[in-house]
Amino acid sequence: MKNTFICIGKSCLAFLGVLILIVVGLFCWLFATSPGVLPPLVDEHGVIIPNQISERVSVPIGGMNQVLFLRGYDKTNPILLYLHGGPGSPTLPFMPASGPILEYEKSFTVCYWDQRGAGASRNGTKEELQFNMTRMIADAHEVTSYLKKRFGQEKILLVGHSWGSLLGVKVIRQNPEDYYAYFGIGQMANQLESERLSYAYMLNHAKEIGDARAVKALESVDINDPHFPTSSYLMGVRSMYQTKYKIGIFHTDKVSMVEAMMNFVTFKGYKLKEKFGFLLGTRDQVKEIVYGPFNENLIETERIFDIPFFVIQGDWDLQVSAVLAKKYVDVIQAPQKEYIEIPNTSHAPHLEEPILFAEALLSLIKKYNIPYIKSKIADDTEGRPKTGDASEL
Ligand SMILES: *[C@@H]1O[C@H](CO)[C@@H](O)[C@H](O)[C@H]1NC(C)=O
Ligand SMILES: *[C@@H]1O[C@H](CO)[C@@H](O)[C@H](O)[C@H]1NC(C)=O
Ligand SMILES: *[C@@H]1O[C@H](CO)[C@@H](O)[C@H](O)[C@H]1NC(C)=O
């Protein structure tokens, strides 16, 4: 190669010097952008929103410290606990620090809990970080108790996304008295069947458009193998073609993966060490559930609920099948239930169409008269509990 840098004497030193400066500079920048503190929420002019809340708190949950991020435009708004997916993949770090993508934070104080073993909740022994469904359900109850006490609420609202929707179903079965209502996004129902449906769609589509490479990759997978879907299939061929065919996380180009990654890299809520730990958390947890909880068919096992049960799904979601999510809502018994699709979105309608998502959430609360109770803030000097209901919306 003619153009290879030729490293002789002084120029070599200069080159090394520049290289070291770049690496050190990059590291300093990463370090500076990772203070482990959430900045306050600002409006479109960069002015801090007067009554906002934007906080990282470390709370003892289930014998170890776990991290919660609390965000909202008005700290007297009702409380909504968000169960992230993965398992092991908190959502907040991938979202922009402000902007319409967080539209529902205008109407709710959202608690983004980094579940045991995920994100910043990794300060524990190996045993404590081990994936354990029973313990996670108990953790969710403790997180909820913390929120109820801190914000003076009798009950809160619960949202579960993806894996968090399976956890959410278990949580509301075990502790229905904690919640006014449950909202599933990318709702799981029968994930093994969902994987088969997604596989069939991808293979058929690949043939239709003449994507020979995809056909070959997919045909090398045996969907009747007892080990289907393996974690290497989930993270490899499946992830690649779900993205390519727009049936995975996003259906449109409204949010780019690169943008999401940059949000993570520059996310202020994590320390640098936690950003590296995040990747280990995702890897360890996904490995654990592939043959375990993911294979439970909720359509058979969990059909009766004591609280209102709503699903807001992307119409193109084949990562967690929209068809099966609808079927699930059709068969369950709940005091109130409804299935809503957000058009032209797939597995993350709340990120892809944040305004439509917030509207769907609020319209359900209004339509079914779900209590919309303002929070009483312990440290609020004016401190009167404010009550309200859906008619305020
Ligand atoms: C990690 O947990 C230990 C034991 O609970 C605690 O003493 C320590 O302060 C925690 N470290 C961090 C960084 O939170
Ligand atoms: C899971 O957690 C529960 C509750 O803390 C505990 O009783 C059980 O032994 C744990 N299971 C495993 C396999 O560690
Ligand atoms: C969905 O996207 C298609 C193609 O971009 C567009 O034609 C259609 O109007 C969109 N539908 C809705 C309901 O937004």
Side-chain angles (χ1 to χ4, degrees):
M1 281 199 291
K2 264 196 214 145
N3 291 329
T4 308
F5 185 84
I6 300 168
C7 182
I8 323 167
K10 276 187 189 155
S11 63
C12 177
L13 281 178
F15 175 74
L16 276 179
V18 168
L19 198 69
I20 289 170
L21 268 181
I22 290 174
V23 171
V24 169
L26 196 66
F27 191 81
C28 287
W29 173 73
L30 277 176
F31 194 77
T33 194
S34 312
V37 176
L38 279 190
L41 294 186
V42 295
D43 64 17
E44 62 273 26
H45 309 294
V47 178
I48 295 178
I49 298 165
N51 213 18
Q52 58 89 40
I53 176 167
S54 179
E55 246 184 57
R56 169 183 160 141
V57 280
S58 187
V59 179
I61 301 287
M64 62 178 274
N65 281 332
Q66 299 193 33
V67 170
L68 316 178
F69 295 98
L70 302 167
R71 292 188 27 135
Y73 279 46
D74 181 341
K75 55 180 180 279
T76 66
N77 273 341
I79 309 299
L80 190 153
L81 171 59
Y82 178 94
L83 304 176
H84 67 69
S89 301
T91 313
L92 182 63
F94 295 97
M95 315 203 317
S98 60
I101 206 140
L102 301 165
E103 187 71 14
Y104 70 147
E105 291 180 354
K106 289 180 183 163
S107 309
F108 303 94
T109 294
V110 185
C111 171
Y112 302 89
W113 161 42
D114 278 13
Q115 296 159 19
R116 174 188 295 275
S121 295
R122 292 180 52 78
N123 180 19
T125 62
K126 194 160 177 253
E127 203 274 325
E128 284 169 331
L129 300 186
Q130 176 78 24
F131 179 84
N132 178 333
M133 187 89 182
T134 313
R135 206 153 50 176
M136 265 193 200
I137 298 167
D139 286 353
H141 177 62
E142 285 185 46
V143 171
T144 303
S145 302
Y146 167 83
L147 294 171
K148 289 200 295 193
K149 181 152 181 246
R150 172 156 175 195
F151 293 96
Q153 294 271 11
E154 261 172 53
K155 298 181 185 200
I156 61 170
L157 299 161
L158 185 68
V159 166
H161 176 228
S162 195
W163 144 256
S165 73
L166 199 164
L167 179 61
V169 161
K170 299 289 178 183
V171 164
I172 59 170
R173 284 278 290 151
Q174 185 141 325
N175 296 106
E177 70 288 350
D178 274 346
Y179 308 101
Y180 289 119
Y182 167 75
F183 302 86
I185 313 169
Q187 177 65 49
M188 287 200 166
N190 177 354
Q191 196 50 25
L192 190 55
E193 183 59 20
S194 171
E195 293 300 342
R196 295 208 171 104
L197 291 176
S198 136
Y199 176 91
Y201 176 86
M202 291 191 290
L203 185 56
N204 190 37
H205 188 69
K207 285 178 177 164
E208 254 174 39
I209 63 168
D211 188 343
R213 183 183 285 206
V215 171
K216 189 161 173 242
L218 286 161
E219 280 184 339
S220 71
V221 175
D222 176 7
I223 59 165
N224 294 312
D225 186 290
H227 294 296
F228 176 84
T230 60
S231 48
S232 67
Y233 166 73
L234 292 178
M235 311 260 224
V237 172
R238 167 208 193 243
S239 160
M240 183 171 161
Y241 290 106
Q242 283 190 345
T243 305
K244 187 169 176 192
Y245 298 159
K246 302 177 185 302
I247 55 169
I249 304 279
F250 299 125
H251 181 64
T252 62
D253 300 324
K254 287 186 179 161
V255 191
S256 84
M257 280 295 189
V258 175
E259 206 180 300
M261 287 304 154
M262 275 316 285
N263 291 334
F264 176 81
V265 170
T266 57
F267 179 59
K268 298 239 177 3
Y270 286 159
K271 299 188 181 90
L272 191 52
K273 202 174 82 182
E274 290 165 343
K275 290 183 182 171
F276 289 110
F278 186 101
L279 305 172
L280 299 177
T282 304
R283 185 202 60 187
D284 295 349
Q285 304 246 320
V286 166
K287 241 178 13 201
E288 292 289 336
I289 44 86
V290 172
Y291 304 117
F294 263 24
N295 286 349
E296 178 171 344
N297 179 2
L298 297 174
I299 293 174
E300 297 298 333
T301 58
E302 303 286 11
R303 297 169 74 118
I304 300 172
F305 298 95
D306 297 335
I307 67 166
F309 190 113
F310 306 112
V311 167
I312 303 173
Q313 195 92 356
D315 61 345
W316 278 97
D317 195 350
L318 270 131
Q319 183 163 334
V320 173
S321 163
V323 172
L324 295 177
K326 176 165 193 318
K327 185 174 167 191
Y328 189 34
V329 175
D330 283 344
V331 303
I332 62 165
Q333 281 178 40
Q336 286 151 333
K337 62 176 187 174
E338 187 163 333
Y339 173 85
I340 293 184
E341 273 181 3
I342 308 270
N344 284 347
T345 66
S346 43
H347 193 48
H350 54 322
L351 307 186
E352 200 164 13
E353 288 289 0
I355 295 175
L356 293 183
F357 173 78
E359 282 171 4
L361 195 61
L362 290 170
S363 74
L364 286 170
I365 286 177
K366 193 166 186 173
K367 178 172 173 188
Y368 294 99
N369 219 4
I370 305 300
Y372 185 84
I373 311 284
K374 294 279 187 179
S375 295
K376 178 188 190 311
I377 308 295
D379 57 21
D380 182 353
T381 44
E382 287 167 40
R384 286 188 314 274
K386 294 178 185 156
T387 53
D389 57 47
S391 64
E392 284 187 7
L393 293 174

